[in-house]
Amino acid sequence: KQEVTQIPAALSVPEGENLVLNCSFTDSAIYNLQWFRQDPGKGLTSLLLIQSSQREQTSGRLNASLDKSSGRSTLYIAASQPGDSATYLCAVRPLLYNNNDMRFGAGTRLTVKP
Amino acid sequence: ETGVTQTPRHLVMGMTNKKSLKCEQHLGHNAMYWYKQSAKKPLELMFVYSLEERVENNSVPSRFSPECPNSSHLFLHLHTLQPEDSALYLCASSQERGNYGYTFGSGTRLTVV
């Protein structure tokens, strides 16, 4: 059974810092891994989607890496801003034939202090 | 807009009421999902519809009843709910298989009184 773990559960940093969020998964047989952002009481906004054949994806100040063999992904946020404060979730889509619904981690709650 | 629209955004209902949540996507996806997100808990998958057929029901109580009349619309019918059902209900869509990610709606914040 695929399990997704995110560490740390919460993180508080001063504005301007570069930071790394971690995601690990137990089964490397995946189609892809997706990072989401969720603001309080709102839906999930997709940030980056990495296919299993890819090593990383970049969008602006965000860079996500994928090491499928070790079951790890990182989300790197450069020059953090207070507007980056949110919960960040990672999810993997398993290769299982009958049940390839995405599996989600519990998220990392990020606070960027001005 | 994300491409997935959920209505209403907020809903307050009594335990004896009947209401419905609506989800609509115009992304050409063929799979749609209902998730429940309670305070300080991970996302819980409730229902999956693939090609308009329900393919998964994660032991959800019968007071929640999904309906998928076509590939663009998904409903969640609610009746005789309990206060512990208060949560954020999220709809998502995707392609059924393959290298596609999920697109989520903004959610419906449900409060049962």
Side-chain angles (χ1 to χ4, degrees):
Chain A
K1 180 183 175 184
Q2 179 72 269
E3 293 187 2
V4 182
T5 304
Q6 291 187 247
I7 294 173
L11 181 64
S12 181
V13 300
E15 182 177 5
E17 239 183 56
N18 302 325
L19 58 100
V20 174
L21 307 181
N22 296 293
C23 173
S24 61
F25 47 97
T26 54
D27 188 342
S28 63
I30 62 171
Y31 276 119
N32 54 50
L33 182 145
Q34 194 168 5
W35 281 94
F36 296 89
R37 168 188 172 134
Q38 185 177 29
D39 293 294
K42 301 293 176 69
L44 278 65
T45 300
S46 179
L47 297 174
L48 292 162
L49 175 68
I50 311 177
Q51 304 299 342
S52 61
S53 58
Q54 297 175 320
R55 298 283 292 181
E56 65 178 341
Q57 283 282 352
T58 298
S59 176
R61 293 182 294 108
L62 305 180
N63 176 277
S65 68
L66 174 64
D67 184 343
K68 197 175 63 168
S69 60
S70 67
R72 294 172 190 261
S73 176
T74 61
L75 179 66
Y76 175 83
I77 303 177
S80 58
Q81 303 170 358
D84 295 330
S85 299
T87 296
Y88 291 81
L89 296 103
C90 77
V92 297
R93 190 158 198 182
L95 275 172
L96 300 172
Y97 178 72
N98 282 325
N99 188 7
N100 68 343
D101 307 315
M102 275 206 160
R103 304 290 193 267
F104 285 83
T108 293
R109 190 174 70 254
L110 173 66
T111 303
V112 180
K113 296 173 290 187
Chain B
E1 284 296 336
T2 63
V4 178
T5 303
Q6 287 188 245
T7 54
R9 295 294 298 273
H10 302 274
L11 178 63
V12 179
M13 60 185 289
M15 289 190 283
T16 59
N17 290 159
K18 290 184 180 181
K19 297 286 185 183
S20 296
L21 310 185
K22 180 182 176 182
C23 178
E24 188 173 354
Q25 60 95 4
H26 298 289
L27 300 169
H29 291 163
N30 58 17
M32 297 185 77
Y33 312 81
W34 279 118
Y35 283 86
K36 175 183 178 183
Q37 189 177 40
S38 303
K40 300 188 189 293
K41 285 188 176 181
L43 283 166
E44 299 173 50
L45 179 63
M46 300 177 71
F47 299 104
V48 179
Y49 274 83
S50 178
L51 301 172
E52 301 166 34
E53 289 189 16
R54 188 194 306 181
V55 296
E56 186 163 337
N57 173 354
N58 282 343
S59 303
V60 178
S62 60
R63 56 186 184 268
F64 294 92
S65 174
E67 179 190 1
C68 186
N70 55 61
S71 60
S72 298
H73 294 86
L74 184 66
F75 295 89
L76 187 62
H77 303 299
L78 316 171
H79 62 99
T80 60
L81 294 192
Q82 305 298 311
E84 61 264 29
D85 297 322
S86 298
L88 181 67
Y89 289 84
L90 292 163
C91 172
S93 71
S94 178
Q95 288 300 103
E96 181 204 7
R97 303 211 178 280
N99 297 336
Y100 296 93
Y102 281 23
T103 301
F104 278 83
S106 299
T108 294
R109 169 65 63 186
L110 173 67
T111 303
V112 182
V113 298

